[in-house]
Amino acid sequence: MGDRIRVGVVGAGGRMGKEVVKMVLQDDALELVAAVDHSAGEVDAGSLVGVETTGIIVTSQLEEALLSTKPDVIVDFTTPSSVMKNTVTAIQHGVRPVVGTTGLSTEEIDDIRTLCKDKGIGAIIAPNFSIGAFLMMQFAKQAAKYLPNVEIIEYHGDQKLDAPSGTAVKTAELISEVREERRQGNPNEEEKIEGARGGYYNGFRIHSVRLPGIFAQQEVIFGGHGESLKIRHDSYERAGYMPGVNLAVKKVMELHELVYGFEHLMD
Amino acid sequence: MGDRIRVGVVGAGGRMGKEVVKMVLQDDALELVAAVDHSAGEVDAGSLVGVETTGIIVTSQLEEALLSTKPDVIVDFTTPSSVMKNTVTAIQHGVRPVVGTTGLSTEEIDDIRTLCKDKGIGAIIAPNFSIGAFLMMQFAKQAAKYLPNVEIIEYHGDQKLDAPSGTAVKTAELISEVREERRQGNPNEEEKIEGARGGYYNGFRIHSVRLPGIFAQQEVIFGGHGESLKIRHDSYERAGYMPGVNLAVKKVMELHELVYGFEHLMD
Amino acid sequence: MGDRIRVGVVGAGGRMGKEVVKMVLQDDALELVAAVDHSAGEVDAGSLVGVETTGIIVTSQLEEALLSTKPDVIVDFTTPSSVMKNTVTAIQHGVRPVVGTTGLSTEEIDDIRTLCKDKGIGAIIAPNFSIGAFLMMQFAKQAAKYLPNVEIIEYHGDQKLDAPSGTAVKTAELISEVREERRQGNPNEEEKIEGARGGYYNGFRIHSVRLPGIFAQQEVIFGGHGESLKIRHDSYERAGYMPGVNLAVKKVMELHELVYGFEHLMD
Amino acid sequence: MGDRIRVGVVGAGGRMGKEVVKMVLQDDALELVAAVDHSAGEVDAGSLVGVETTGIIVTSQLEEALLSTKPDVIVDFTTPSSVMKNTVTAIQHGVRPVVGTTGLSTEEIDDIRTLCKDKGIGAIIAPNFSIGAFLMMQFAKQAAKYLPNVEIIEYHGDQKLDAPSGTAVKTAELISEVREERRQGNPNEEEKIEGARGGYYNGFRIHSVRLPGIFAQQEVIFGGHGESLKIRHDSYERAGYMPGVNLAVKKVMELHELVYGFEHLMD
């Protein structure tokens, strides 16, 4: 069993953290060696996520855990306020970080890049670990070259605070890289109800639907002469990100620098 | 052939009028006896719509046409500015009008109702002759009783002037009749791009997509606990309204009063 | 708290049973008084479902539990082999059963109906507790009267054994009640790959898609002249059935006979 | 006007041919110089397609038309039985053919390739001129590398004879090039209605829906862990192929050999 990858999960009691713990436990190529969480208490990591006990007791101290359990990789889905400190601590102890938390600034990411280079150690930071979402964005960018008339509709649960979603904005950015900027629609178009035409982004529109029951969906729709093309991605649950996280945990072992963005792992 | 319904088409050179002419020519139960159009010139009605010649020459004078050809029914898809006069003229000559033009005022409709009653003659006015669109609206109203979280997305060609579409607004009205008014979504929701959350209507949202290639589509989406329900209607072409117009031409023969709204013909 | 409805959950350790336990614990109008499961062991019902402890210890004996905890209602999502015995036991002890297990025979349902009448006690048996799925089926039946050209596509996870799904077959039955039987499609149609045109049911077709990641979805698509109408239902998770079960638990308190089918609770 | 491309349309009276005539007339960079059709009679090409007269009279003799009107390009959407002869005739007269007719054999295509090389003249043969359909196929192939669980659903009008469609089969071939062959679904899966699971192709399934009102649609659906990705293309009308034909007419002017397949024109 000496060649299994030793994994620590930071934020193990959070909604994503719990999924990561379960994913690690289910993969024979990975070994859960540490589970860190500030508020979960000293429970067994298995009990924490509703499966069999594991013998791994949740701890609130990351540094101690790194020293005593010597993980190869830590996976971090904590909050913007703690992720920078966690990541730096890990690298300084020679532990490769896989980070899914969003909100790191460009400066912080540059600092991590430098630190990785200095230590010769791999790290992965990705705001999204979904393979399908990644493909949707790539296809949207490719299609916009040939079919420049486009709108984006994204669907999330009704308690989401921000609109449009981060994925929709990222998709819009990718489209804008290849699409000549042009204001779509009739120049004399009139909104009888304000906002009906959606949010304006570089000449095209983004619409945000918020309904209970929906986890995360997005459609990118292209209109052409007598035809339309639609690319749709549905995320049904947090578990949907786990194959991507699993891939990242394995890929980071082969890296000696920071990779930013899931797309760079896929090819 | 004496029992075929004799039909006159007003606005025969318009986009909808041409479809009506073709529909009448294709149904053995109907006989085209007149085609009226102000700007088409004295051409054969068949040539006007791109089929074989019919022997019916297009005329610009409705009243003369009514006197000389004695239709049972006229179908009118002209403009808001001429439809009232045409309809009154028809009823006064004992000819039943089937009207698809939108824009008649409530007063005008009441006047037509009174005139029909006085003459004991049937008439049908309907802003929409699509069976599928009608069913979509009825289902949306029924579903909103049980699943009160709803959003509407409508799709039309990119040259359409108004947003949302008339059908979307009518659907929203029907939903509002049965749905308790309640503002959906997170009360602290924030639009990072103005308009992303769509147009606000009685607590829920309407989104208008405009893309080339699309004729007319609408989705009404309901979100519930762990589920969603979507009702979607696609109109692919003007011809899609013709079965409804055909039904109206036949039903109006049995009426002795005005019927307003296609829904009253269906059951 | 004396007027809360006292609920016992049978099969509390099953996948649906766990959801029922959580639903009961979350509703202040309901009180969990018993949790029965043959194989879960003597654990706390809260621990069993991964929430806080409740003080209710899971038991394997239904009859004892009924005697000692006197529930008003039991909810049963066990197996076809045990549900009949459980239901009869409950009624004989004056406890109203809400049954979600499928597979009871017509004779068994008739026996339960007689027993309920004799005891003057309410009971609900329903193969499906989803409000959205119920509406989809009702709308499909209504639409088929006007748009008789129809096909059904259902989507489930790739490990499902049977195709088409029970819901698809039930939808097809409902459509057949109102649709004149007629073989759709070109009479000379040819399958170049056998099965491409789907399963044949009373003149129309049913298609079963099986893919990982999907829980349960169904589309009923109607084609007309230049238009189409689609009714789509998505179930994202077992929790989606809980509002329906919750409604049934409350409605069964007002009943004095058996109600078979969720649709009879809705109006 | 000397630098407009001179275009002849062969099969000008067919459904696709009429669209080509209209497309050529609408583009100021193109000049209609000949319209050939065996059965249309000596009518004006404009009247034939329902627009203003053009002065170009339809002829039934291709070779004479080539000699007298000297087109740069001919566009051919005739039948499999005449397209080979037309194409050879054109090349021998130094006229570049753009061919949309399907059904040429591999040997015939090779003969055309040789003839083009000998004459140093460009030619384009493509079974499909839709940009959106092409993108759908490319994306499906790319996605299958990462998400190998896939099914195809295609939708056409109810009078179509063959199932699955040629586009669906071509999509399946492209997917098979990159997807490891593996039989999807539960190995013990059982069809209660024969054909429900669709047509089997190299381990995955193709479903063909046939409904009136629909022109041509296709969905390629990929299932992953907790997610799905859908690529959908809708063709609304024959006119939808015209931008692709237009592109081919312009590109063929720059070629000195045969290009087979629309995809080689796009990049």
Side-chain angles (χ1 to χ4, degrees):
Chain A
M1 291 299 203
D3 52 357
R4 292 203 290 175
I5 301 172
R6 299 172 61 85
V7 182
V9 180
V10 193
R15 289 186 297 188
M16 284 298 285
K18 282 180 177 173
E19 295 297 329
V20 177
V21 168
K22 282 192 268 186
M23 178 274 284
V24 172
L25 291 173
Q26 281 162 18
D27 185 344
D28 287 340
L30 307 182
E31 181 180 0
L32 182 74
V33 298
V36 181
D37 197 276
H38 285 289
S39 54
E42 293 196 357
V43 297
D44 185 278
S47 308
L48 182 71
V49 304
V51 301
E52 288 175 22
T53 56
T54 60
I56 309 296
I57 303 300
V58 177
T59 171
S60 62
Q61 295 296 329
L62 173 62
E63 192 153 16
E64 277 180 25
L66 297 180
L67 288 167
S68 61
T69 68
K70 299 197 184 308
D72 298 308
V73 178
I74 60 160
V75 181
D76 189 329
F77 278 92
T78 59
T79 59
S81 63
S82 64
V83 65
M84 184 64 190
K85 185 158 174 292
N86 296 342
T87 302
V88 170
T89 302
I91 298 170
Q92 285 172 336
H93 286 81
V95 179
R96 299 154 192 86
V98 169
V99 177
T101 308
T102 53
L104 285 166
S105 69
T106 309
E107 291 72 32
E108 289 175 318
I109 290 167
D110 283 344
D111 287 351
I112 294 169
R113 181 171 285 117
T114 306
L115 198 56
C116 285
K117 195 172 289 177
D118 292 349
K119 295 275 180 181
I121 200 172
I124 292 171
I125 302 176
N128 191 320
F129 282 97
S130 160
I131 291 170
F134 164 74
L135 291 172
M136 172 185 61
M137 286 186 272
Q138 293 302 304
F139 296 163
K141 183 176 174 177
Q142 289 175 249
K145 280 186 230 173
Y146 301 103
L147 296 168
N149 286 284
V150 60
E151 302 208 10
I152 298 172
I153 310 174
E154 52 94 350
Y155 306 76
H156 282 84
D158 63 341
Q159 293 312 305
K160 186 175 176 63
L161 281 169
D162 52 324
S165 71
T167 301
V169 172
K170 192 169 176 195
T171 307
E173 288 169 3
L174 288 168
I175 287 171
S176 296
E177 286 177 19
V178 298
R179 176 186 174 275
E180 50 170 334
E181 185 163 347
R182 193 178 56 77
R183 190 184 178 97
Q184 292 176 194
N186 192 315
N188 299 316
E189 171 176 276
E190 191 188 349
E191 279 187 343
K192 290 182 177 175
I193 300 179
E194 195 191 331
R197 284 290 286 116
Y200 182 90
Y201 185 95
N202 278 3
F204 58 98
R205 302 286 178 162
I206 307 177
H207 309 267
S208 300
V209 178
R210 297 290 174 263
L211 285 170
I214 291 173
F215 183 59
Q217 307 168 347
Q218 184 171 300
E219 295 182 340
V220 189
I221 309 176
F222 297 89
H225 198 72
E227 65 174 343
S228 63
L229 178 70
K230 179 158 79 177
I231 303 161
R232 177 182 173 106
H233 181 252
D234 285 60
S235 278
Y236 297 114
E237 40 169 356
R238 282 176 193 85
Y241 301 121
M242 289 308 116
V245 176
N246 184 287
L247 179 66
V249 167
K250 290 166 184 173
K251 287 270 186 179
V252 79
M253 294 297 293
E254 307 162 11
L255 298 176
H256 301 282
E257 59 183 354
L258 171 67
V259 164
Y260 177 64
F262 186 57
E263 56 273 30
H264 303 295
L265 303 182
M266 292 184 66
D267 37 47
Chain B
M1 291 298 202
D3 53 358
R4 293 204 290 173
I5 301 172
R6 298 173 61 84
V7 182
V9 180
V10 193
R15 288 187 298 187
M16 284 296 287
K18 282 180 177 171
E19 295 298 329
V20 177
V21 169
K22 282 192 268 186
M23 179 274 288
V24 172
L25 292 172
Q26 281 163 18
D27 185 344
D28 287 341
L30 306 182
E31 181 178 1
L32 183 74
V33 298
V36 181
D37 197 275
H38 284 289
S39 54
E42 292 196 359
V43 298
D44 184 278
S47 309
L48 181 70
V49 304
V51 300
E52 288 175 21
T53 56
T54 60
I56 309 296
I57 303 301
V58 177
T59 171
S60 63
Q61 296 295 329
L62 172 62
E63 192 153 16
E64 276 180 27
L66 297 180
L67 287 168
S68 61
T69 68
K70 299 197 184 307
D72 297 308
V73 178
I74 60 161
V75 181
D76 189 328
F77 277 92
T78 57
T79 60
S81 62
S82 63
V83 64
M84 184 65 190
K85 184 159 175 292
N86 295 342
T87 302
V88 169
T89 303
I91 297 172
Q92 285 171 338
H93 285 80
V95 178
R96 298 155 192 85
V98 169
V99 177
T101 309
T102 53
L104 284 167
S105 69
T106 310
E107 292 71 33
E108 289 175 318
I109 290 168
D110 283 343
D111 286 352
I112 294 169
R113 180 170 285 119
T114 304
L115 198 56
C116 284
K117 195 172 289 179
D118 290 351
K119 294 274 181 183
I121 200 171
I124 292 171
I125 301 175
N128 190 320
F129 282 97
S130 160
I131 291 171
F134 164 74
L135 290 172
M136 173 186 60
M137 287 187 270
Q138 293 302 303
F139 296 163
K141 182 175 174 177
Q142 290 174 248
K145 281 186 231 175
Y146 300 102
L147 296 168
N149 287 285
V150 60
E151 302 207 10
I152 297 172
I153 309 174
E154 53 93 351
Y155 306 76
H156 282 84
D158 63 341
Q159 293 312 306
K160 186 176 175 63
L161 281 169
D162 52 324
S165 70
T167 301
V169 172
K170 191 168 176 197
T171 306
E173 288 169 1
L174 288 168
I175 288 171
S176 296
E177 287 177 20
V178 299
R179 177 185 175 277
E180 49 170 334
E181 186 163 347
R182 192 179 57 76
R183 190 183 178 96
Q184 291 178 193
N186 192 314
N188 299 317
E189 170 176 275
E190 190 188 350
E191 279 187 343
K192 289 179 176 177
I193 300 179
E194 196 189 329
R197 284 289 286 118
Y200 182 90
Y201 185 95
N202 278 3
F204 59 97
R205 303 287 177 161
I206 307 177
H207 309 266
S208 299
V209 177
R210 298 288 174 265
L211 285 171
I214 290 175
F215 183 60
Q217 307 168 345
Q218 184 172 298
E219 295 182 339
V220 189
I221 309 176
F222 296 90
H225 198 72
E227 63 174 345
S228 64
L229 178 70
K230 178 156 81 175
I231 303 161
R232 178 182 172 106
H233 181 251
D234 285 60
S235 277
Y236 298 112
E237 41 169 355
R238 283 177 193 84
Y241 300 121
M242 289 308 118
V245 177
N246 185 287
L247 178 66
V249 168
K250 290 165 184 173
K251 287 269 185 181
V252 78
M253 294 297 292
E254 305 162 11
L255 297 177
H256 301 281
E257 58 183 354
L258 171 66
V259 165
Y260 177 64
F262 186 55
E263 56 273 31
H264 303 296
L265 303 182
M266 291 185 65
D267 38 44
Chain C
M1 292 298 204
D3 55 356
R4 293 204 290 174
I5 301 173
R6 298 171 63 84
V7 182
V9 179
V10 194
R15 289 187 296 189
M16 284 297 285
K18 281 180 178 172
E19 294 298 329
V20 176
V21 168
K22 282 192 267 186
M23 179 273 288
V24 172
L25 291 173
Q26 280 162 17
D27 185 345
D28 287 341
L30 307 182
E31 181 180 3
L32 182 74
V33 298
V36 181
D37 197 276
H38 285 289
S39 54
E42 292 196 358
V43 298
D44 184 278
S47 309
L48 182 71
V49 304
V51 300
E52 288 175 22
T53 56
T54 60
I56 309 295
I57 303 301
V58 177
T59 171
S60 63
Q61 296 295 330
L62 173 62
E63 192 153 16
E64 274 180 28
L66 297 181
L67 287 168
S68 62
T69 68
K70 299 198 184 310
D72 297 309
V73 177
I74 61 162
V75 180
D76 189 330
F77 277 92
T78 57
T79 59
S81 62
S82 64
V83 64
M84 184 65 189
K85 185 159 173 292
N86 295 343
T87 302
V88 170
T89 301
I91 298 172
Q92 283 172 340
H93 285 81
V95 178
R96 299 154 191 85
V98 169
V99 176
T101 310
T102 53
L104 284 166
S105 70
T106 311
E107 291 72 33
E108 289 176 318
I109 290 167
D110 283 345
D111 287 352
I112 294 169
R113 182 171 284 118
T114 305
L115 197 57
C116 285
K117 194 172 292 179
D118 291 351
K119 294 276 180 183
I121 200 171
I124 292 171
I125 302 176
N128 191 319
F129 281 97
S130 159
I131 291 169
F134 163 73
L135 290 171
M136 172 185 62
M137 287 187 271
Q138 294 302 304
F139 295 163
K141 183 175 173 177
Q142 288 173 250
K145 280 186 231 175
Y146 301 102
L147 296 168
N149 287 284
V150 60
E151 301 208 10
I152 297 171
I153 310 174
E154 52 94 349
Y155 306 77
H156 281 83
D158 63 341
Q159 294 311 306
K160 186 175 175 63
L161 281 169
D162 52 323
S165 71
T167 300
V169 173
K170 190 167 176 196
T171 307
E173 287 169 3
L174 289 168
I175 287 171
S176 296
E177 287 177 20
V178 299
R179 177 185 173 275
E180 51 171 333
E181 185 164 345
R182 192 178 56 77
R183 188 182 181 97
Q184 291 177 195
N186 192 315
N188 300 317
E189 169 178 276
E190 191 188 347
E191 278 186 345
K192 289 180 175 177
I193 300 178
E194 196 190 329
R197 283 289 285 118
Y200 183 90
Y201 185 96
N202 279 3
F204 59 97
R205 303 286 178 163
I206 307 176
H207 309 266
S208 299
V209 177
R210 298 287 174 266
L211 284 171
I214 291 175
F215 183 59
Q217 306 168 346
Q218 183 171 300
E219 293 182 340
V220 189
I221 309 175
F222 297 89
H225 198 71
E227 64 174 344
S228 63
L229 178 69
K230 179 157 82 176
I231 303 160
R232 178 181 174 109
H233 181 251
D234 285 60
S235 277
Y236 297 113
E237 43 168 354
R238 282 176 195 87
Y241 300 121
M242 290 308 115
V245 176
N246 185 287
L247 179 66
V249 167
K250 289 166 183 172
K251 287 271 186 179
V252 78
M253 294 297 292
E254 305 162 11
L255 298 176
H256 301 282
E257 59 185 352
L258 171 67
V259 164
Y260 177 65
F262 186 57
E263 56 272 32
H264 303 295
L265 303 182
M266 292 185 64
D267 40 43
Chain D
M1 292 299 206
D3 52 358
R4 291 203 292 173
I5 301 172
R6 299 172 61 83
V7 182
V9 180
V10 194
R15 289 187 297 187
M16 284 297 285
K18 282 181 176 171
E19 295 297 329
V20 177
V21 169
K22 281 192 269 186
M23 179 273 287
V24 173
L25 292 172
Q26 281 163 19
D27 186 345
D28 287 342
L30 306 182
E31 180 179 3
L32 183 74
V33 299
V36 181
D37 197 276
H38 285 289
S39 53
E42 292 196 357
V43 297
D44 184 277
S47 309
L48 181 72
V49 304
V51 301
E52 287 174 23
T53 56
T54 59
I56 308 296
I57 304 300
V58 177
T59 171
S60 62
Q61 295 296 329
L62 174 61
E63 192 153 17
E64 277 181 23
L66 297 180
L67 287 167
S68 62
T69 68
K70 299 197 186 307
D72 298 307
V73 178
I74 60 161
V75 181
D76 189 328
F77 277 93
T78 57
T79 60
S81 62
S82 64
V83 65
M84 184 65 190
K85 185 158 173 295
N86 295 341
T87 302
V88 170
T89 302
I91 298 171
Q92 285 172 338
H93 285 81
V95 178
R96 298 154 193 86
V98 169
V99 177
T101 309
T102 53
L104 284 167
S105 69
T106 309
E107 290 73 32
E108 289 176 319
I109 290 168
D110 283 343
D111 287 353
I112 295 169
R113 180 171 287 118
T114 305
L115 198 56
C116 284
K117 194 172 291 180
D118 291 351
K119 294 275 180 183
I121 200 171
I124 292 171
I125 302 176
N128 191 321
F129 282 97
S130 160
I131 290 169
F134 164 73
L135 290 172
M136 172 185 62
M137 286 187 272
Q138 293 302 304
F139 296 163
K141 183 176 174 176
Q142 290 174 248
K145 280 185 231 174
Y146 301 102
L147 296 168
N149 287 285
V150 60
E151 302 209 9
I152 298 171
I153 309 174
E154 51 94 351
Y155 307 76
H156 282 84
D158 62 341
Q159 294 311 305
K160 186 175 175 62
L161 282 169
D162 52 325
S165 70
T167 301
V169 172
K170 191 167 176 197
T171 307
E173 288 169 3
L174 288 167
I175 288 171
S176 296
E177 286 177 20
V178 298
R179 177 186 174 275
E180 50 170 337
E181 186 163 346
R182 193 178 55 77
R183 189 184 179 96
Q184 291 178 194
N186 192 314
N188 300 316
E189 171 176 276
E190 191 188 350
E191 278 187 343
K192 289 181 176 173
I193 300 178
E194 197 189 329
R197 284 290 285 116
Y200 182 90
Y201 186 95
N202 278 3
F204 59 98
R205 304 285 178 162
I206 307 176
H207 309 267
S208 299
V209 176
R210 297 289 173 266
L211 284 171
I214 291 173
F215 183 59
Q217 306 168 346
Q218 183 172 300
E219 293 182 340
V220 189
I221 310 176
F222 296 89
H225 198 71
E227 64 174 343
S228 63
L229 178 70
K230 179 157 81 176
I231 303 160
R232 178 182 172 108
H233 180 251
D234 285 59
S235 277
Y236 298 114
E237 42 169 354
R238 281 178 194 83
Y241 301 120
M242 289 309 116
V245 176
N246 184 288
L247 178 66
V249 167
K250 290 166 183 172
K251 287 270 184 180
V252 79
M253 294 298 292
E254 305 162 12
L255 298 177
H256 300 282
E257 59 186 350
L258 171 66
V259 165
Y260 177 64
F262 185 56
E263 55 273 31
H264 302 295
L265 303 183
M266 291 184 66
D267 35 47

